[in-house]
Every structure is written in structure tokens, then in C-alpha cells.
Amino acid sequence: MDVINELILSAVTSPWLYVVMFLAAVIDGFFPPIPSETVLVAAVAVAVSTGGSNLPLLVVVAALGAAIGDNLAYLIGRGVGTTRFAWMRRPRIAAGFDRAGRALGHRGAPLILGARYIPVGRVVVNMTAGALHYPWRRFVPLSLIGGATWAAYSALIGIVAGKLFEDQPLLSSVIGVAVALVLGLVVDRVASARRRRRERSAATAAPDRVEADADADARPVLVPVGE
């Protein structure tokens, strides 16, 4: 265990940590299997528990990398669309692109900011924004805000874990990553539940609108008679 703790400590105090964090955040913006959240949470937890690394710099590097990654996803969507490759046409992914396209029109900013906290969701939303030519001048500041809040949120989880398990870098990183994964799952489930409620409400309201339109068409039209 002491050997593992020493290896973790040397990794966190290495200047290469910032390079790894930046690359992980950038790639994660368009390739979800790269777990940038876990890298940031684990690095912060270990840094807090051992006193190593520059936390503000680490958070800034992660936020900048996340914003760049989101913009790369936007540009990929703008360049190739959302149906070019086979994985994009899988039922679940295609349904996600469809929902994102319908939502971007009337609540683009909240959708882009909220999707940053959902690994696959942010890729789908950002690529859809590019494919639908959502204004880039609006997307860039949203991606910067989203990257900054995401990095601060992930760092906060790591800070709490590091404080709770001081002098135990391995345990603090494991606990921090576990909490981050659970919170990410909760955010995903809450977002899915809200989306299903909206879809049910829309489906319920649709027949009422059709019936109202039919009643309006069936009303007699009064034509004024001249004197």
C-alpha cells in the first residue's frame, strides 16, 4: 500500500499531470470513453490529501480543455452532421440527436450548459448544435462557462474527499471518483425523468389541441348581411 501511495504522490506532483489533464478534458469533449471527470477528481483528492500540485492551475487547465473539447465536438457536428457514421445511427444515439435537435431551438443555453455534466450527453448536444448551425458566437461563451463550472464542481468533489481522507491518497482518490460517478448517474437519471415528463405532457396536450382546433372549425361562421 505504501508503494502505491508513493506512486500516486509522484504522479500528482509531476508537471506531466497538467498535460494529461488537458488532453483528457479535450478528448473527452468528443470521445466519451476518456474519463476526464475521474482524472480531475482523483488528482484533486490526492493533491488535497498530500499537499501536492497547484489546484487552481489544475482546475483552469481542466476547464480550458473541456471548453476546447466541446468546441471540437461542435465543429465535428458542423462538418459531418449527425448521421455520417454507423454509431451515430444506433437507435439510442439517434434518439438523443433527435431530442437535442428539438430542444436546441427553444432552450439552447440551458441544454448546452446542463449537458456538460453528462459524458455522452455533452457530445450529442454539442455535435447537434454544430450540425444545426447553432450560432457559434453563442456557443463559445456557453462552452467556456460550462467548462469552468464543470471543473469547479469536479474539483469540489475531490477537495471534500481529500479533506475527509487526509494522508490516504489512494483512498481519497477512490472515494472521490466513486462519488463523482454516482452524482453523474443521478444527474443523468434526473435529466431523463424530466425529459420523459415533458414528452408525456406534450403527448397529453396534443389531442386537446386537435380537439380545440376541430371545434373551432365546426363553429358556424356569421356573415354580416348588408342593409
Side-chain angles (χ1 to χ4, degrees):
M1 185 64 70
D2 290 338
V3 174
I4 295 176
N5 285 335
E6 287 296 327
L7 289 174
I8 293 174
L9 180 58
S10 63
V12 171
T13 55
S14 169
W16 285 103
L17 173 65
Y18 304 102
V19 177
V20 172
M21 183 69 260
F22 178 76
L23 292 177
V26 170
I27 298 172
D28 188 25
F30 58 89
F31 188 65
I34 299 298
S36 60
E37 284 94 347
T38 59
V39 174
L40 179 56
V41 170
V44 170
V46 173
V48 169
S49 66
T50 61
S53 189
N54 185 328
L55 288 184
L57 178 59
L58 187 62
V59 172
V60 169
V61 167
L64 182 60
I68 292 174
D70 288 349
N71 278 272
L72 288 175
Y74 175 95
L75 294 174
I76 291 172
R78 191 155 189 164
V80 305
T82 57
T83 59
R84 176 74 61 85
F85 303 109
W87 67 268
M88 295 177 172
R89 296 190 293 272
R90 293 175 184 170
R92 189 173 180 182
I93 300 297
F97 280 129
D98 181 61
R99 287 192 298 267
R102 286 186 277 111
L104 276 169
H106 58 275
R107 55 186 188 93
L111 182 65
I112 292 169
L113 292 174
R116 169 72 336 238
Y117 296 85
I118 306 173
V120 176
R122 59 176 169 251
V123 177
V124 169
V125 168
N126 295 336
M127 289 184 66
T128 303
L132 295 180
H133 291 256
Y134 185 87
W136 197 35
R137 66 180 182 278
R138 297 181 190 172
F139 184 86
V140 170
L142 289 173
S143 67
L144 291 171
I145 295 171
T149 56
W150 165 83
Y153 156 81
S154 300
L156 180 61
I157 297 173
I159 290 171
V160 172
K163 289 292 185 182
L164 290 175
F165 302 97
E166 287 187 279
D167 300 324
Q168 300 182 63
L170 177 60
L171 183 58
S172 67
S173 63
V174 170
I175 296 297
V177 169
V179 171
L181 291 174
V182 169
L183 289 178
L185 181 62
V186 170
V187 170
D188 186 38
R189 290 291 180 257
V190 170
S192 298
R194 291 183 60 187
R195 186 189 68 246
R196 286 194 294 268
R197 282 198 299 270
R198 285 194 300 267
E199 290 174 350
R200 284 196 297 268
S201 298
T204 303
D208 295 337
R209 287 196 298 269
V210 171
E211 184 177 348
D213 292 342
D215 290 343
D217 291 339
R219 290 194 197 104
V221 178
L222 300 178
V223 179
V225 179
E227 296 182 357

